[in-house]
Amino acid sequence: MDDIYTGEITVKKFVKFVWPSVLMMVIIALYYGMDSVFVANLAGEEALAALSIAYPVQGVIWGISVMLASGSSAIVAIKMGEGRQQEADEKYSSICVVSLILGCVLTAAALVFMDEIVSFLGATESLSQYCEEFLTILVWACPGAFLGVLFEYFIRVDGRPGFTLILYLSGGVTHLLLDYILMGPLDMGIKGTAWANLGGLYIIMILGGGYFLFMKTKLSFRRFRPDWRFIGHSFANGSSELVSESSAGITTFFFNYVTIALAGEVGAAAVSIVLNVHYMMISLHLGYIMGAAPLISYFYGAKEYDKVNVIIKYSKVFVAFTSIVSAAACLIFARYIVMAFERPGSELFDIALTGARLLAPALLLGGINIFASGFFTAYGNGKLSAVISASRALVMVIFWLIIMSHLLGMAGVWLSLTFAELATLVLTFRMLLRHKDIYHYRLR
Protein backbone atom coordinates (compact mmCIF):
# COMPACT_ATOMS: atom_id res chain seq x y z
CA MET A 1 0.00 0.00 0.00
CA ASP A 2 2.69 2.52 0.93
CA ASP A 3 4.49 1.83 -2.32
CA ILE A 4 1.61 2.59 -4.66
CA TYR A 5 0.21 5.40 -2.49
CA THR A 6 3.46 7.27 -1.97
CA GLY A 7 5.38 6.66 -5.20
CA GLU A 8 4.77 6.93 -8.91
CA ILE A 9 1.94 4.75 -10.26
CA THR A 10 3.70 2.51 -12.73
CA VAL A 11 1.93 -0.13 -14.82
CA LYS A 12 3.62 -2.88 -12.81
CA LYS A 13 2.53 -1.51 -9.41
CA PHE A 14 -0.98 -0.74 -10.65
CA VAL A 15 -1.49 -4.21 -12.10
CA LYS A 16 -0.13 -5.78 -8.91
CA PHE A 17 -2.68 -3.82 -6.87
CA VAL A 18 -5.71 -4.39 -9.12
CA TRP A 19 -5.33 -7.91 -10.49
CA PRO A 20 -6.35 -9.74 -7.28
CA SER A 21 -9.72 -7.97 -7.38
CA VAL A 22 -10.23 -8.89 -11.03
CA LEU A 23 -9.35 -12.52 -10.42
CA MET A 24 -11.46 -12.56 -7.27
CA MET A 25 -14.59 -11.42 -9.13
CA VAL A 26 -13.98 -13.96 -11.89
CA ILE A 27 -13.74 -16.68 -9.23
CA ILE A 28 -16.97 -15.46 -7.61
CA ALA A 29 -18.73 -15.52 -10.98
CA LEU A 30 -17.38 -18.97 -11.76
CA TYR A 31 -18.42 -20.56 -8.52
CA TYR A 32 -21.89 -19.01 -8.65
CA GLY A 33 -22.08 -20.30 -12.21
CA MET A 34 -21.03 -23.70 -10.94
CA ASP A 35 -24.15 -23.77 -8.75
CA SER A 36 -26.19 -23.84 -11.93
CA VAL A 37 -23.88 -26.43 -13.48
CA PHE A 38 -24.26 -28.78 -10.49
CA VAL A 39 -28.01 -28.20 -10.24
CA ALA A 40 -28.54 -28.73 -13.98
CA ASN A 41 -26.52 -31.95 -14.04
CA LEU A 42 -27.41 -33.43 -10.64
CA ALA A 43 -30.88 -32.11 -9.78
CA GLY A 44 -32.50 -31.61 -13.19
CA GLU A 45 -34.18 -28.97 -15.33
CA GLU A 46 -36.95 -28.13 -12.84
CA ALA A 47 -34.45 -27.46 -10.06
CA LEU A 48 -32.46 -25.23 -12.43
CA ALA A 49 -35.61 -23.27 -13.26
CA ALA A 50 -36.32 -22.93 -9.51
CA LEU A 51 -32.79 -21.60 -8.98
CA SER A 52 -33.56 -18.89 -11.53
CA ILE A 53 -36.89 -18.10 -9.84
CA ALA A 54 -35.15 -17.79 -6.46
CA TYR A 55 -32.21 -15.74 -7.76
CA PRO A 56 -33.79 -12.31 -7.03
CA VAL A 57 -33.37 -13.00 -3.31
CA GLN A 58 -29.67 -13.80 -3.84
CA GLY A 59 -29.34 -10.61 -5.87
CA VAL A 60 -30.86 -8.49 -3.10
CA ILE A 61 -28.62 -10.07 -0.42
CA TRP A 62 -25.51 -9.52 -2.52
CA GLY A 63 -26.66 -6.01 -3.49
CA ILE A 64 -27.10 -4.89 0.11
CA SER A 65 -23.72 -6.43 0.97
CA VAL A 66 -21.92 -4.51 -1.76
CA MET A 67 -23.85 -1.31 -0.99
CA LEU A 68 -22.72 -1.32 2.63
CA ALA A 69 -19.13 -2.17 1.71
CA SER A 70 -18.56 0.06 -1.32
CA GLY A 71 -20.38 3.08 0.08
CA SER A 72 -18.60 3.06 3.43
CA SER A 73 -15.16 2.02 2.16
CA ALA A 74 -14.99 4.92 -0.29
CA ILE A 75 -15.70 7.38 2.54
CA VAL A 76 -13.17 5.72 4.86
CA ALA A 77 -10.50 5.68 2.12
CA ILE A 78 -11.02 9.41 1.56
CA LYS A 79 -10.59 10.03 5.33
CA MET A 80 -7.37 8.00 5.27
CA GLY A 81 -6.14 10.05 2.31
CA GLU A 82 -6.85 13.20 4.32
CA GLY A 83 -4.77 11.82 7.21
CA ARG A 84 -7.74 11.36 9.59
CA GLN A 85 -6.98 7.80 10.67
CA GLN A 86 -8.86 7.71 13.99
CA GLU A 87 -12.04 8.92 12.30
CA ALA A 88 -11.55 6.30 9.58
CA ASP A 89 -11.23 3.55 12.23
CA GLU A 90 -14.36 4.69 14.05
CA LYS A 91 -16.41 4.77 10.87
CA TYR A 92 -15.15 1.33 9.86
CA SER A 93 -16.10 -0.10 13.26
CA SER A 94 -19.58 1.41 13.15
CA ILE A 95 -20.43 0.02 9.71
CA CYS A 96 -19.40 -3.47 10.89
CA VAL A 97 -21.91 -3.34 13.74
CA VAL A 98 -24.67 -1.95 11.52
CA SER A 99 -24.04 -4.68 8.93
CA LEU A 100 -24.30 -7.46 11.51
CA ILE A 101 -27.54 -6.12 12.98
CA LEU A 102 -29.11 -5.54 9.57
CA GLY A 103 -28.16 -9.05 8.42
CA CYS A 104 -29.85 -10.66 11.43
CA VAL A 105 -33.01 -8.57 11.03
CA LEU A 106 -33.36 -9.43 7.33
CA THR A 107 -32.85 -13.15 7.99
CA ALA A 108 -35.63 -13.15 10.59
CA ALA A 109 -37.98 -11.20 8.33
CA ALA A 110 -37.35 -13.52 5.37
CA LEU A 111 -38.07 -16.64 7.43
CA VAL A 112 -41.34 -15.18 8.73
CA PHE A 113 -42.56 -14.22 5.25
CA MET A 114 -41.08 -17.11 3.24
CA ASP A 115 -44.39 -18.30 1.75
CA GLU A 116 -45.22 -14.79 0.59
CA ILE A 117 -41.74 -14.35 -0.93
CA VAL A 118 -41.96 -17.59 -2.93
CA SER A 119 -45.43 -16.66 -4.17
CA PHE A 120 -44.32 -13.16 -5.15
CA LEU A 121 -41.37 -14.53 -7.14
CA GLY A 122 -43.84 -16.22 -9.46
CA ALA A 123 -42.91 -19.84 -8.88
CA THR A 124 -45.23 -22.27 -10.60
CA GLU A 125 -46.85 -25.01 -8.52
CA SER A 126 -44.20 -27.55 -9.55
CA LEU A 127 -41.34 -25.17 -8.70
CA SER A 128 -42.59 -23.77 -5.37
CA GLN A 129 -41.21 -26.58 -3.21
CA TYR A 130 -37.76 -26.31 -4.83
CA CYS A 131 -37.72 -22.53 -4.25
CA GLU A 132 -38.78 -22.77 -0.62
CA GLU A 133 -36.24 -25.49 0.17
CA PHE A 134 -33.46 -23.39 -1.33
CA LEU A 135 -34.40 -20.02 0.17
CA THR A 136 -35.19 -21.24 3.70
CA ILE A 137 -31.52 -22.20 3.98
CA LEU A 138 -30.03 -19.39 1.90
CA VAL A 139 -31.47 -16.46 3.89
CA TRP A 140 -29.30 -17.50 6.86
CA ALA A 141 -26.41 -16.18 4.78
CA CYS A 142 -27.36 -12.52 5.31
CA PRO A 143 -25.10 -11.76 8.34
CA GLY A 144 -22.20 -13.72 6.85
CA ALA A 145 -22.54 -12.13 3.42
CA PHE A 146 -22.80 -8.59 4.80
CA LEU A 147 -19.74 -8.90 7.02
CA GLY A 148 -17.73 -11.00 4.57
CA VAL A 149 -18.08 -8.52 1.72
CA LEU A 150 -17.44 -5.64 4.12
CA PHE A 151 -14.18 -7.18 5.34
CA GLU A 152 -13.12 -7.88 1.75
CA TYR A 153 -13.57 -4.24 0.68
CA PHE A 154 -11.80 -2.87 3.74
CA ILE A 155 -8.88 -5.28 3.41
CA ARG A 156 -8.37 -3.75 -0.03
CA VAL A 157 -8.56 -0.25 1.45
CA ASP A 158 -6.04 -1.39 4.07
CA GLY A 159 -3.62 -2.04 1.23
CA ARG A 160 -3.59 -5.84 0.91
CA PRO A 161 -5.73 -6.67 -2.13
CA GLY A 162 -3.88 -9.97 -2.47
CA PHE A 163 -5.43 -11.19 0.78
CA THR A 164 -8.92 -10.70 -0.66
CA LEU A 165 -7.99 -13.27 -3.27
CA ILE A 166 -7.19 -15.72 -0.47
CA LEU A 167 -10.62 -15.02 1.03
CA TYR A 168 -12.52 -15.82 -2.13
CA LEU A 169 -10.35 -18.75 -3.14
CA SER A 170 -11.05 -20.26 0.27
CA GLY A 171 -14.74 -19.48 0.07
CA GLY A 172 -14.95 -20.68 -3.52
CA VAL A 173 -13.19 -23.98 -2.87
CA THR A 174 -15.43 -24.58 0.16
CA HIS A 175 -18.50 -23.74 -1.92
CA LEU A 176 -17.58 -26.08 -4.77
CA LEU A 177 -16.54 -28.97 -2.50
CA LEU A 178 -19.83 -28.71 -0.62
CA ASP A 179 -21.74 -28.53 -3.92
CA TYR A 180 -20.14 -31.78 -5.03
CA ILE A 181 -20.45 -33.60 -1.71
CA LEU A 182 -23.97 -32.48 -0.80
CA MET A 183 -25.50 -32.78 -4.26
CA GLY A 184 -23.47 -35.82 -5.37
CA PRO A 185 -22.81 -38.53 -2.75
CA LEU A 186 -25.34 -37.15 -0.23
CA ASP A 187 -28.00 -36.50 -2.91
CA MET A 188 -29.46 -33.44 -1.14
CA GLY A 189 -30.65 -31.81 -4.36
CA ILE A 190 -31.22 -28.07 -4.36
CA LYS A 191 -30.83 -27.98 -0.56
CA GLY A 192 -27.22 -29.01 -1.08
CA THR A 193 -26.38 -25.97 -3.18
CA ALA A 194 -28.04 -23.70 -0.59
CA TRP A 195 -25.81 -25.14 2.17
CA ALA A 196 -22.80 -24.82 -0.15
CA ASN A 197 -23.54 -21.10 -0.62
CA LEU A 198 -23.85 -20.68 3.12
CA GLY A 199 -20.58 -22.46 3.84
CA GLY A 200 -18.58 -20.45 1.31
CA LEU A 201 -19.88 -17.10 2.57
CA TYR A 202 -19.20 -17.83 6.24
CA ILE A 203 -15.65 -18.99 5.48
CA ILE A 204 -15.05 -15.59 3.85
CA MET A 205 -16.51 -13.81 6.88
CA ILE A 206 -14.38 -15.79 9.36
CA LEU A 207 -11.12 -15.27 7.46
CA GLY A 208 -11.87 -11.58 6.87
CA GLY A 209 -12.65 -10.97 10.52
CA GLY A 210 -9.50 -12.84 11.49
CA TYR A 211 -7.44 -10.54 9.29
CA PHE A 212 -8.47 -7.47 11.30
CA LEU A 213 -8.24 -9.23 14.66
CA PHE A 214 -4.88 -10.95 14.33
CA MET A 215 -2.81 -9.17 11.66
CA LYS A 216 -1.02 -5.83 11.75
CA THR A 217 -3.30 -3.44 9.91
CA LYS A 218 -3.75 0.27 9.28
CA LEU A 219 -7.49 0.06 9.90
CA SER A 220 -8.54 -1.32 13.25
CA PHE A 221 -11.63 -1.79 15.41
CA ARG A 222 -12.25 1.04 17.88
CA ARG A 223 -14.90 2.09 20.34
CA PHE A 224 -17.26 4.43 18.58
CA ARG A 225 -20.38 6.49 18.97
CA PRO A 226 -23.13 5.92 16.39
CA ASP A 227 -22.60 8.27 13.46
CA TRP A 228 -25.96 8.20 11.71
CA ARG A 229 -24.89 10.78 9.17
CA PHE A 230 -22.04 8.50 8.08
CA ILE A 231 -24.35 5.46 7.99
CA GLY A 232 -26.82 7.37 5.82
CA HIS A 233 -24.02 8.62 3.55
CA SER A 234 -22.69 5.05 3.22
CA PHE A 235 -26.11 3.78 2.18
CA ALA A 236 -26.51 6.64 -0.31
CA ASN A 237 -22.98 6.37 -1.68
CA GLY A 238 -23.28 2.63 -2.18
CA SER A 239 -26.75 2.88 -3.67
CA SER A 240 -25.40 2.45 -7.20
CA GLU A 241 -23.86 -0.88 -6.24
CA LEU A 242 -27.14 -1.85 -4.55
CA VAL A 243 -28.91 -1.02 -7.80
CA SER A 244 -26.30 -2.78 -9.91
CA GLU A 245 -26.23 -6.00 -7.87
CA SER A 246 -29.87 -6.13 -6.78
CA SER A 247 -31.07 -5.19 -10.24
CA ALA A 248 -29.67 -8.49 -11.47
CA GLY A 249 -32.18 -10.14 -9.18
CA ILE A 250 -35.01 -7.79 -10.09
CA THR A 251 -34.42 -8.11 -13.83
CA THR A 252 -34.16 -11.90 -13.44
CA PHE A 253 -37.67 -11.73 -11.97
CA PHE A 254 -38.91 -9.99 -15.12
CA PHE A 255 -36.88 -12.26 -17.39
CA ASN A 256 -38.48 -15.28 -15.70
CA TYR A 257 -41.97 -13.83 -16.07
CA VAL A 258 -41.50 -13.11 -19.78
CA THR A 259 -39.68 -16.34 -20.67
CA ILE A 260 -42.17 -18.57 -18.85
CA ALA A 261 -44.90 -16.91 -20.92
CA LEU A 262 -42.90 -17.45 -24.12
CA ALA A 263 -41.28 -20.86 -23.55
CA GLY A 264 -42.59 -22.30 -20.28
CA GLU A 265 -40.39 -23.53 -17.42
CA VAL A 266 -37.60 -24.34 -19.88
CA GLY A 267 -37.41 -20.58 -20.53
CA ALA A 268 -36.70 -19.90 -16.86
CA ALA A 269 -33.99 -22.57 -16.90
CA ALA A 270 -32.45 -20.87 -19.96
CA VAL A 271 -32.47 -17.55 -18.11
CA SER A 272 -30.39 -19.14 -15.35
CA ILE A 273 -27.79 -20.27 -17.89
CA VAL A 274 -27.60 -17.11 -20.00
CA LEU A 275 -27.50 -14.66 -17.09
CA ASN A 276 -24.80 -16.76 -15.42
CA VAL A 277 -22.74 -16.50 -18.60
CA HIS A 278 -23.36 -12.73 -18.69
CA TYR A 279 -22.23 -12.32 -15.08
CA MET A 280 -19.10 -14.38 -15.70
CA MET A 281 -18.14 -12.10 -18.58
CA ILE A 282 -18.81 -8.75 -16.87
CA SER A 283 -17.00 -9.95 -13.73
CA LEU A 284 -13.78 -8.70 -15.36
CA HIS A 285 -15.12 -5.14 -15.35
CA LEU A 286 -16.70 -5.41 -11.90
CA GLY A 287 -13.45 -6.70 -10.41
CA TYR A 288 -11.37 -4.05 -12.14
CA ILE A 289 -13.27 -1.03 -10.81
CA MET A 290 -13.50 -2.73 -7.41
CA GLY A 291 -9.70 -2.85 -7.36
CA ALA A 292 -9.11 0.63 -8.76
CA ALA A 293 -11.75 2.45 -6.67
CA PRO A 294 -9.77 2.63 -3.38
CA LEU A 295 -6.88 4.28 -5.24
CA ILE A 296 -9.19 6.83 -6.87
CA SER A 297 -10.81 7.62 -3.51
CA TYR A 298 -7.47 7.95 -1.72
CA PHE A 299 -5.82 10.19 -4.33
CA TYR A 300 -8.92 12.35 -4.62
CA GLY A 301 -8.90 12.80 -0.83
CA ALA A 302 -5.17 13.60 -0.96
CA LYS A 303 -5.74 16.05 -3.89
CA GLU A 304 -3.25 14.13 -6.07
CA TYR A 305 -5.32 14.49 -9.21
CA ASP A 306 -2.52 13.61 -11.62
CA LYS A 307 -2.43 10.11 -10.18
CA VAL A 308 -6.15 9.71 -10.79
CA ASN A 309 -5.55 10.64 -14.42
CA VAL A 310 -2.88 7.94 -14.68
CA ILE A 311 -5.45 5.43 -13.44
CA ILE A 312 -7.94 6.66 -16.05
CA LYS A 313 -5.34 6.16 -18.79
CA TYR A 314 -4.73 2.57 -17.71
CA SER A 315 -8.48 2.01 -17.40
CA LYS A 316 -9.17 2.96 -21.01
CA VAL A 317 -6.83 0.23 -22.21
CA PHE A 318 -8.21 -2.40 -19.84
CA VAL A 319 -11.87 -1.71 -20.56
CA ALA A 320 -11.41 -1.65 -24.34
CA PHE A 321 -9.36 -4.86 -24.42
CA THR A 322 -11.57 -6.90 -22.07
CA SER A 323 -14.77 -5.72 -23.78
CA ILE A 324 -13.54 -6.97 -27.14
CA VAL A 325 -12.24 -10.26 -25.72
CA SER A 326 -15.42 -11.08 -23.77
CA ALA A 327 -17.67 -10.27 -26.74
CA ALA A 328 -15.55 -12.43 -29.05
CA ALA A 329 -15.53 -15.28 -26.52
CA CYS A 330 -19.33 -15.31 -26.44
CA LEU A 331 -19.53 -15.53 -30.21
CA ILE A 332 -16.81 -18.14 -30.68
CA PHE A 333 -17.13 -20.35 -27.60
CA ALA A 334 -20.83 -20.03 -26.73
CA ARG A 335 -21.58 -23.65 -27.67
CA TYR A 336 -18.91 -25.02 -25.36
CA ILE A 337 -19.88 -22.71 -22.51
CA VAL A 338 -23.54 -23.78 -22.67
CA MET A 339 -22.50 -27.46 -22.87
CA ALA A 340 -21.25 -27.15 -19.27
CA PHE A 341 -24.88 -26.65 -18.23
CA GLU A 342 -26.84 -28.77 -20.72
CA ARG A 343 -26.20 -31.41 -23.35
CA PRO A 344 -26.73 -30.50 -27.04
CA GLY A 345 -29.96 -31.55 -28.70
CA SER A 346 -32.44 -30.35 -26.06
CA GLU A 347 -34.78 -27.39 -26.28
CA LEU A 348 -33.03 -25.84 -23.27
CA PHE A 349 -29.64 -26.08 -24.97
CA ASP A 350 -30.88 -24.41 -28.17
CA ILE A 351 -32.56 -21.51 -26.33
CA ALA A 352 -29.54 -20.93 -24.06
CA LEU A 353 -27.08 -21.12 -26.98
CA THR A 354 -28.93 -18.39 -28.88
CA GLY A 355 -29.03 -16.27 -25.74
CA ALA A 356 -25.31 -16.66 -25.05
CA ARG A 357 -24.40 -15.62 -28.58
CA LEU A 358 -26.69 -12.58 -28.46
CA LEU A 359 -24.87 -11.37 -25.33
CA ALA A 360 -21.86 -10.31 -27.43
CA PRO A 361 -22.92 -6.74 -28.34
CA ALA A 362 -23.99 -6.05 -24.74
CA LEU A 363 -20.56 -7.14 -23.52
CA LEU A 364 -18.88 -4.89 -26.06
CA LEU A 365 -20.70 -1.83 -24.68
CA GLY A 366 -21.09 -2.59 -20.97
CA GLY A 367 -17.53 -2.16 -19.71
CA ILE A 368 -17.57 1.63 -19.99
CA ASN A 369 -20.85 1.89 -18.09
CA ILE A 370 -19.66 -0.39 -15.29
CA PHE A 371 -16.42 1.55 -14.93
CA ALA A 372 -18.20 4.92 -14.88
CA SER A 373 -20.62 3.80 -12.19
CA GLY A 374 -17.84 2.61 -9.88
CA PHE A 375 -15.74 5.65 -10.79
CA PHE A 376 -18.33 8.06 -9.39
CA THR A 377 -18.84 5.91 -6.29
CA ALA A 378 -15.11 6.26 -5.62
CA TYR A 379 -15.61 10.05 -5.59
CA GLY A 380 -18.42 9.72 -3.07
CA ASN A 381 -21.09 10.65 -5.64
CA GLY A 382 -23.40 7.73 -5.04
CA LYS A 383 -26.41 9.45 -6.60
CA LEU A 384 -24.81 9.82 -10.01
CA SER A 385 -23.37 6.33 -9.83
CA ALA A 386 -26.81 4.97 -8.98
CA VAL A 387 -28.36 6.70 -11.99
CA ILE A 388 -25.89 4.98 -14.34
CA SER A 389 -26.33 1.59 -12.65
CA ALA A 390 -30.10 1.86 -12.59
CA SER A 391 -30.14 2.70 -16.27
CA ARG A 392 -27.89 -0.13 -17.52
CA ALA A 393 -28.99 -2.87 -15.16
CA LEU A 394 -32.61 -2.15 -14.30
CA VAL A 395 -34.74 0.55 -15.91
CA MET A 396 -33.53 0.24 -19.49
CA VAL A 397 -33.37 -3.56 -19.29
CA ILE A 398 -37.01 -3.83 -18.24
CA PHE A 399 -38.07 -1.19 -20.79
CA TRP A 400 -36.36 -2.95 -23.70
CA LEU A 401 -37.30 -6.42 -22.42
CA ILE A 402 -40.98 -5.56 -22.75
CA ILE A 403 -40.59 -4.03 -26.21
CA MET A 404 -38.10 -6.46 -27.76
CA SER A 405 -39.74 -9.65 -26.44
CA HIS A 406 -43.00 -8.48 -27.99
CA LEU A 407 -41.30 -7.83 -31.33
CA LEU A 408 -38.78 -10.70 -31.55
CA GLY A 409 -39.80 -13.28 -28.94
CA MET A 410 -36.93 -15.03 -27.15
CA ALA A 411 -34.29 -13.31 -29.33
CA GLY A 412 -35.70 -9.99 -28.15
CA VAL A 413 -35.35 -11.10 -24.53
CA TRP A 414 -31.59 -11.49 -24.91
CA LEU A 415 -31.14 -8.35 -27.08
CA SER A 416 -32.76 -6.20 -24.39
CA LEU A 417 -29.40 -6.21 -22.57
CA THR A 418 -27.66 -4.66 -25.60
CA PHE A 419 -30.23 -1.90 -26.02
CA ALA A 420 -30.00 -1.12 -22.28
CA GLU A 421 -26.20 -0.74 -22.46
CA LEU A 422 -26.45 1.42 -25.58
CA ALA A 423 -28.99 3.80 -24.03
CA THR A 424 -26.89 4.05 -20.86
CA LEU A 425 -23.72 4.76 -22.85
CA VAL A 426 -25.17 8.09 -23.97
CA LEU A 427 -25.88 9.01 -20.35
CA THR A 428 -22.43 7.84 -19.22
CA PHE A 429 -20.49 10.01 -21.67
CA ARG A 430 -22.64 13.01 -20.82
CA MET A 431 -21.99 12.60 -17.08
CA LEU A 432 -18.25 12.04 -17.54
CA LEU A 433 -17.97 15.24 -19.57
CA ARG A 434 -20.09 17.26 -17.16
CA HIS A 435 -18.10 16.36 -14.04
CA LYS A 436 -14.51 16.38 -15.30
CA ASP A 437 -13.81 19.89 -14.01
CA ILE A 438 -15.56 19.24 -10.70
CA TYR A 439 -13.41 16.19 -9.91
CA HIS A 440 -10.28 17.35 -11.76
CA TYR A 441 -9.90 14.38 -14.11
CA ARG A 442 -9.06 14.28 -17.81
CA LEU A 443 -10.74 12.08 -20.41
CA ARG A 444 -8.10 12.51 -23.13
Side-chain angles (χ1 to χ4, degrees):
M1 177 177 179
D2 290 332
D3 190 31
I4 195 168
Y5 278 169
T6 58
E8 179 185 357
I9 304 181
T10 63
V11 173
K12 182 178 179 180
K13 288 193 291 185
F14 182 70
V15 170
K16 183 178 179 181
F17 190 91
V18 171
W19 79 265
S21 300
V22 177
L23 183 57
M24 179 198 71
M25 282 305 300
V26 171
I27 291 169
I28 291 172
L30 284 172
Y31 77 67
Y32 277 117
M34 288 303 293
D35 273 346
S36 295
V37 171
F38 277 107
V39 169
N41 287 279
L42 297 177
E45 192 174 292
E46 280 195 342
L48 181 61
L51 200 65
S52 180
I53 297 292
Y55 180 74
V57 175
Q58 284 182 286
V60 170
I61 292 173
W62 191 254
I64 295 173
S65 303
V66 177
M67 174 193 71
L68 292 167
S70 63
S72 60
S73 64
I75 297 168
V76 169
I78 290 172
K79 296 299 180 187
M80 291 173 68
E82 293 171 343
R84 299 159 71 175
Q85 187 62 47
Q86 181 173 337
E87 187 177 352
D89 290 342
E90 291 172 351
K91 292 184 184 305
Y92 162 63
S93 302
S94 66
I95 198 66
C96 287
V97 173
V98 168
S99 297
L100 178 60
I101 293 172
L102 182 60
C104 293
V105 169
L106 290 180
T107 294
L111 291 171
V112 170
F113 297 105
M114 183 56 66
D115 290 341
E116 290 80 1
I117 291 171
V118 171
S119 177
F120 175 77
L121 291 173
T124 62
E125 186 176 346
S126 61
L127 299 182
S128 292
Q129 182 178 350
Y130 285 111
C131 290
E132 188 162 344
E133 288 177 352
F134 179 74
L135 290 176
T136 300
I137 297 167
L138 183 75
V139 294
W140 286 96
C142 287
F146 291 0
L147 282 175
V149 175
L150 194 75
F151 291 147
E152 177 256 310
Y153 267 73
F154 277 98
I155 289 170
R156 195 180 302 112
V157 170
D158 198 60
R160 290 193 179 95
F163 192 83
T164 65
L165 184 57
I166 296 173
L167 291 186
Y168 280 91
L169 280 172
S170 302
V173 169
T174 301
H175 186 147
L176 293 180
L177 283 175
L178 289 175
D179 260 334
Y180 172 74
I181 294 168
L182 299 178
M183 298 187 68
L186 296 183
D187 195 24
M188 291 178 64
I190 200 168
K191 290 182 180 179
T193 199
W195 283 113
N197 272 274
L198 210 67
L201 289 169
Y202 275 96
I203 285 293
I204 292 169
M205 182 200 75
I206 291 167
L207 293 178
Y211 170 89
F212 285 104
L213 287 173
F214 302 114
M215 294 184 70
K216 185 177 181 180
T217 61
K218 289 181 171 58
L219 278 169
S220 59
F221 295 113
R222 288 180 182 266
R223 293 186 63 181
F224 65 93
R225 286 176 291 183
D227 184 347
W228 299 113
R229 183 177 180 182
F230 162 68
I231 300 302
H233 190 185
S234 296
F235 276 61
N237 193 41
S239 59
S240 65
E241 277 65 32
L242 172 63
V243 170
S244 181
E245 298 294 339
S246 297
S247 61
I250 297 169
T251 54
T252 299
F253 171 83
F254 284 95
F255 271 101
N256 288 330
Y257 179 83
V258 171
T259 54
I260 287 175
L262 291 172
E265 292 178 358
V266 70
V271 166
S272 181
I273 295 173
V274 175
L275 294 188
N276 265 299
V277 174
H278 182 251
Y279 186 65
M280 287 179 199
M281 295 298 180
I282 66 171
S283 64
L284 292 167
H285 305 298
L286 294 170
Y288 175 81
I289 188 57
M290 193 180 288
L295 297 176
I296 295 169
S297 298
Y298 186 94
F299 292 132
Y300 174 65
K303 296 182 171 57
E304 296 185 67
Y305 306 125
D306 286 342
K307 291 186 177 181
V308 174
N309 288 316
V310 171
I311 295 171
I312 293 174
K313 182 178 73 172
Y314 296 156
S315 300
K316 291 177 186 177
V317 176
F318 179 87
V319 170
F321 177 76
T322 51
S323 296
I324 294 169
V325 169
S326 59
C330 256
L331 287 173
I332 299 169
F333 301 111
R335 180 177 182 85
Y336 304 102
I337 295 170
V338 175
M339 282 173 62
F341 300 88
E342 179 69 8
R343 294 179 180 179
S346 68
E347 182 185 7
L348 173 58
F349 180 86
D350 293 338
I351 294 173
L353 178 60
T354 300
R357 285 174 174 162
L358 290 177
L359 287 176
L363 295 171
L364 198 60
L365 301 170
I368 299 173
N369 293 327
I370 293 170
F371 174 80
S373 177
F375 183 68
F376 286 116
T377 296
Y379 280 108
N381 193 334
K383 292 180 181 178
L384 181 53
S385 182
V387 169
I388 295 172
S389 286
S391 176
R392 68 163 293 273
L394 183 62
V395 177
M396 286 292 104
V397 173
I398 296 172
F399 174 78
W400 287 110
L401 174 64
I402 294 169
I403 294 175
M404 298 303 294
S405 63
H406 179 72
L407 294 175
L408 299 174
M410 286 300 296
V413 169
W414 313 127
L415 286 172
S416 62
L417 294 169
T418 296
F419 282 87
E421 295 288 9
L422 186 60
T424 304
L425 203 58
V426 177
L427 172 66
T428 291
F429 280 121
R430 186 176 178 182
M431 293 300 101
L432 286 170
L433 288 170
R434 179 179 293 181
H435 290 81
K436 63 186 180 65
D437 293 330
I438 297 173
Y439 294 124
H440 310 284
Y441 58 79
R442 297 189 301 270
L443 297 176
R444 294 183 179 178

